[in-house]
Amino acid sequence: MQEAVERARRGEGADLDRREGMAHELAHLEDNQLKYRTKEEIADAAEQRPIERFRSWLIERGWLTADDSDRLQAECDQEASDAADWAEQQPDPIAEDALTNVFA
């Protein structure tokens, strides 16, 4: 973590960044980063792509194939989409339960 902080402070980019529009392909959950980031910041973050860099690093070393990576990504995307669909179908919480099991 210390290396990541030092790299970021030197202006060499972040090691962790949000995946563009982590909305699980649901339009109403889309994260419009232009509300709080400039176009330049978004472009710079896209160039950094720490997850893609890590994926490439694994593939270069032969620890992961591109096909396996694509399959795993599709599985994760589907799981996230299924979870979002399930959550949307749940009833609204009961207001009286808001303080249940709160001890501090």
Side-chain angles (χ1 to χ4, degrees):
M1 196 66 188
Q2 184 177 358
E3 289 177 27
V5 170
E6 290 171 2
R7 191 172 21 265
R9 287 182 177 153
R10 288 192 305 265
E12 296 173 7
D15 279 337
L16 300 174
D17 197 356
R18 73 179 65 240
R19 205 176 127 205
E20 15 185 280
M22 289 287 290
H24 310 298
E25 300 177 9
L26 298 173
H28 63 283
L29 295 178
E30 185 64 36
D31 178 11
N32 183 359
Q33 296 181 32
L34 287 173
K35 290 181 179 179
Y36 52 90
R37 295 173 90 177
T38 66
K39 289 181 181 180
E40 292 77 20
E41 288 175 316
I42 294 171
D44 184 50
E47 288 178 13
Q48 301 301 319
R49 306 288 309 243
I51 294 171
E52 180 58 33
R53 288 190 352 237
F54 183 58
R55 174 186 181 269
S56 297
W57 183 81
L58 292 172
I59 291 171
E60 288 169 8
R61 283 154 183 78
W63 297 339
L64 180 71
T65 67
D67 288 341
D68 285 342
S69 175
D70 293 342
R71 179 184 51 76
L72 288 169
Q73 185 64 57
E75 289 175 12
C76 290
D77 289 346
Q78 185 61 53
E79 183 177 344
S81 180
D82 291 346
D85 291 344
W86 176 86
E88 288 179 342
Q89 294 172 8
Q90 300 310 301
D92 289 336
I94 300 169
E96 293 80 25
D97 289 344
L99 299 178
T100 301
N101 299 321
V102 176
F103 302 103

